[in-house]
Amino acid sequence: MKKGRKRRGNYSNSRRIHGRTDRFAQILADPKARFKAGTAATTEKNNLKTYIKKPYDNAARIAATVREASVTSGVFAKVIDYYQSILTYNYTIYPVLGNKTYQLDMSGMQDAYTDIAYELRKYNIKYYAPYILKEILIDGVVFLYEVQDSTGSIEYLKMPIDWCKISGQENGVYRYMLDMSKVKSDVVGYLPEEIQTAYDSYQNKSGTDDTDKWYDKKWYFIENGVAFTFDINTLVNDGLAVSPMVGMIIDNLSLQQAKDNVDVKDSLDTVRLIHSKIPLDKDGVPQIDLETAKIFDNAIRTRMPEGVVTVTTPTALDNVPLTGSGNAGAYDTVGKSIEQLFYDLGTSSSLFGGSTTSSNIVKESIKKDAYYLYANFLPLLENYYNSKIALVKTSTDNEWSIKFIRQSNFTLDDDTKRLKEQLSFGGSRLDYMAACGFLPEEIVPKLEFEQRVMNIDSIMVVKPTSNTISGKQAASDSQAGRPTESNPSDDTERINDSQ
């Protein structure tokens, strides 16, 4: 009877959560875009230089400018795509010894492994991790609210950057607080129930003195939220962070200006002036009246092709080509601006078609960028997911931990080969299988299904080759098997199964 009530309660909660999730879908598709950061980007160099002098005080403006560059600048957009595609996000899980647990409880260990693997499956790691990385590179920090749908899967609602600040760190996981004064009445109805309750408290001025939930009577500590940033200095900079790409935004503006100069040069190179001279008498007086001259000018102007400008004056002027009158080094300026932009981004331009003297330069550049993410991004993910699986009650007393395999899509063969070679010296098979793309929830059911259900070894019979043939092959197959001599010739007898 108790089980039935519990199931009905869970089902009711799932329906209620699913209903809130539907409302989130509506606000995210709101054509009025009410639920977004309200800080505008700047396109003036002088303003940017002022912002960068005090980056943390202008974090929201810098984030808006970098985000605009990620859309309008092809170079910057491709660099973001490149960083997103470096990691494989393959991971494995393992039990942790210690903390008064010094041996594994073998009786229920496989069930515990399955429970943890299934819990991580709900977070759809390979889908959301690249998105989180992109937002960090653009905004410097990303504020997410966890939403659970009716199936138990976790999805994320991104909070506007100028509404939030990081409030602290717990076990390597950043937590944040939300400025309730920024939340508008026409938006609050689409927000999670926790934030709606906090909004009501803020409006009614009730409970905001509770320092465990509120700071300065308007900042609410979000319980079901998580923040990600590479900048640990955010803890001493008022909970704010700036994009690691901040150094490129001024050079990106220089690149855009250089491109505009090319457009001006191209326009000047194609313009032609056609001069219609008004005849003058010996005293310099026009021999036709201005109204007549205007008629002639309009007649010529309407018949000129695009790129040809007509001029009607009494002064002497011939057809004047403007080829080369623009900035002769405009294209060189663009090239140098792109080189400087890549330099500030810390990425080799050779990856994107730039000139290089060695393919090894490209390979080493990829490794450098991969190690940057290994050191900064993967620990953030591991701390976050470890905090989630620590809440899962399993059939054993052991804690569990997640580990992301340090491998790159660009050096996948080398990274996987290294783990394969370690197997000969006692390396982990789970790590190797994870490096091959197996998710933890795949390993046990897939292998058991292949061996116990399909009996796949009986179906996939290995074909005999010179490496797999035995010494007992049928006598009729006299040419099969390895030769009997060290230096065989075409007529050398070979060992077969009958021998």
Side-chain angles (χ1 to χ4, degrees), residues 13 133 308 478:
N13 291 338
L133 174 59
V308 178
S478 59

Side-chain angles (χ1 to χ4, degrees), residues 259-376:
K259 289 182 177 180
D260 291 340
N261 289 338
V262 169
D263 293 337
V264 172
K265 179 184 182 302
D266 290 342
S267 297
L268 290 176
D269 286 346
T270 58
V271 169
R272 295 294 183 273
L273 297 181
I274 301 299
H275 179 230
S276 299
K277 184 178 180 181
I278 300 175
L280 304 175
D281 59 17
K282 62 179 181 178
D283 296 325
V285 178
Q287 293 181 352
I288 60 174
D289 60 87
L290 296 180
E291 290 297 328
T292 303
K294 184 177 180 180
I295 294 173
F296 284 124
D297 180 72
N298 289 335
I300 296 174
R301 190 182 299 272
T302 56
R303 288 166 173 79
M304 290 295 102
E306 185 178 357
V308 178
V309 178
T310 63
V311 180
T312 303
T313 67
T315 57
L317 184 66
D318 294 327
N319 182 15
V320 181
L322 297 182
T323 303
S325 59
N327 180 9
Y331 290 101
D332 292 336
T333 303
V334 171
K336 292 178 180 179
S337 298
I338 292 177
E339 290 179 3
Q340 182 64 36
L341 181 58
F342 276 117
Y343 183 82
D344 286 337
L345 289 170
T347 302
S348 173
S349 61
S350 304
L351 289 169
F352 300 88
S355 60
T356 180
T357 57
S358 171
S359 60
N360 194 52
I361 294 177
V362 177
K363 185 176 181 179
E364 293 302 318
S365 177
I366 292 174
K367 288 182 179 180
K368 173 185 68 67
D369 295 333
Y371 292 147
Y372 171 75
L373 297 181
Y374 296 162
N376 291 280

Side-chain angles (χ1 to χ4, degrees), residues 384-433:
Y384 169 60
Y385 294 117
N386 282 334
S387 71
K388 295 302 178 182
I389 60 179
L391 303 176
V392 179
K393 181 65 177 177
T394 64
S395 56
T396 66
D397 293 331
N398 295 101
E399 295 182 4
W400 289 79
S401 186
I402 184 175
K403 174 188 176 183
F404 282 88
I405 305 299
R406 270 54 176 175
Q407 66 177 163
S408 162
N409 283 312
F410 298 102
T411 58
L412 187 60
D413 291 341
D414 292 340
D415 297 336
T416 306
K417 182 180 179 181
R418 184 182 68 253
L419 290 173
K420 183 179 180 180
E421 292 173 347
Q422 290 177 359
L423 293 177
S424 303
F425 301 94
S428 170
R429 292 188 179 184
L430 289 179
D431 284 357
Y432 172 69
M433 296 181 72

Side-chain angles (χ1 to χ4, degrees), residues 166-176 212 221-223 225-227 235 380 382-388 391:
I166 288 179
S167 59
Q169 191 180 51
E170 300 174 5
N171 299 321
V173 181
Y174 291 102
R175 304 298 180 182
Y176 69 93
D212 291 333
F221 298 116
I222 299 294
E223 294 182 7
V226 60
L235 298 174
L380 291 178
E382 290 170 343
N383 291 340
Y384 169 60
Y385 294 117
N386 282 334
S387 71
K388 295 302 178 182
L391 303 176

Side-chain angles (χ1 to χ4, degrees), residues 149-338:
D149 62 17
S150 59
T151 65
S153 297
I154 303 297
E155 300 183 16
Y156 298 96
L157 179 66
K158 182 176 180 291
M159 307 301 290
I161 186 173
D162 49 2
W163 291 16
C164 308
K165 288 183 180 181
I166 288 179
S167 59
Q169 191 180 51
E170 300 174 5
N171 299 321
V173 181
Y174 291 102
R175 304 298 180 182
Y176 69 93
M177 51 188 175
L178 178 64
D179 185 357
M180 286 298 166
S181 66
K182 298 288 184 67
V183 181
K184 306 301 179 183
S185 59
D186 60 341
V187 174
V188 68
Y190 299 101
L191 294 174
E193 186 175 321
E194 177 191 355
I195 300 179
Q196 291 186 30
T197 302
Y199 179 80
D200 292 338
S201 299
Y202 172 75
Q203 293 295 322
N204 300 328
K205 304 300 180 184
S206 61
T208 54
D209 292 327
D210 186 353
T211 55
D212 291 333
K213 294 183 177 181
W214 294 86
Y215 170 73
D216 200 20
K217 296 186 178 182
K218 72 172 185 177
W219 292 94
Y220 175 73
F221 298 116
I222 299 294
E223 294 182 7
N224 295 327
V226 60
F228 294 93
T229 181
F230 294 166
D231 189 1
I232 197 172
N233 287 326
T234 185
L235 298 174
V236 294
N237 284 303
D238 197 24
L240 301 171
V242 295
S243 168
M245 304 293 182
V246 65
M248 55 68 59
I249 54 178
I250 291 181
D251 286 316
N252 185 66
L253 284 182
S254 298
L255 174 60
Q256 297 302 320
Q257 183 177 348
K259 289 182 177 180
D260 291 340
N261 289 338
V262 169
D263 293 337
V264 172
K265 179 184 182 302
D266 290 342
S267 297
L268 290 176
D269 286 346
T270 58
V271 169
R272 295 294 183 273
L273 297 181
I274 301 299
H275 179 230
S276 299
K277 184 178 180 181
I278 300 175
L280 304 175
D281 59 17
K282 62 179 181 178
D283 296 325
V285 178
Q287 293 181 352
I288 60 174
D289 60 87
L290 296 180
E291 290 297 328
T292 303
K294 184 177 180 180
I295 294 173
F296 284 124
D297 180 72
N298 289 335
I300 296 174
R301 190 182 299 272
T302 56
R303 288 166 173 79
M304 290 295 102
E306 185 178 357
V308 178
V309 178
T310 63
V311 180
T312 303
T313 67
T315 57
L317 184 66
D318 294 327
N319 182 15
V320 181
L322 297 182
T323 303
S325 59
N327 180 9
Y331 290 101
D332 292 336
T333 303
V334 171
K336 292 178 180 179
S337 298
I338 292 177

Side-chain angles (χ1 to χ4, degrees), residues 99-166:
N99 193 21
K100 299 182 180 180
T101 303
Y102 304 112
Q103 61 182 359
L104 300 179
D105 182 2
M106 304 304 296
S107 59
M109 189 57 64
Q110 182 170 329
D111 291 340
Y113 175 90
T114 303
D115 290 340
I116 298 298
Y118 183 75
E119 180 67 20
L120 288 173
R121 179 176 180 269
K122 298 178 181 179
Y123 288 86
N124 204 355
I125 294 175
K126 290 198 173 186
Y127 177 79
Y128 282 109
Y131 165 75
I132 294 172
L133 174 59
K134 178 180 180 179
E135 295 303 306
I136 293 175
L137 294 176
I138 293 176
D139 288 345
V141 59
V142 56
F143 302 99
L144 301 175
Y145 192 93
E146 300 170 3
V147 180
Q148 188 173 27
D149 62 17
S150 59
T151 65
S153 297
I154 303 297
E155 300 183 16
Y156 298 96
L157 179 66
K158 182 176 180 291
M159 307 301 290
I161 186 173
D162 49 2
W163 291 16
C164 308
K165 288 183 180 181
I166 288 179

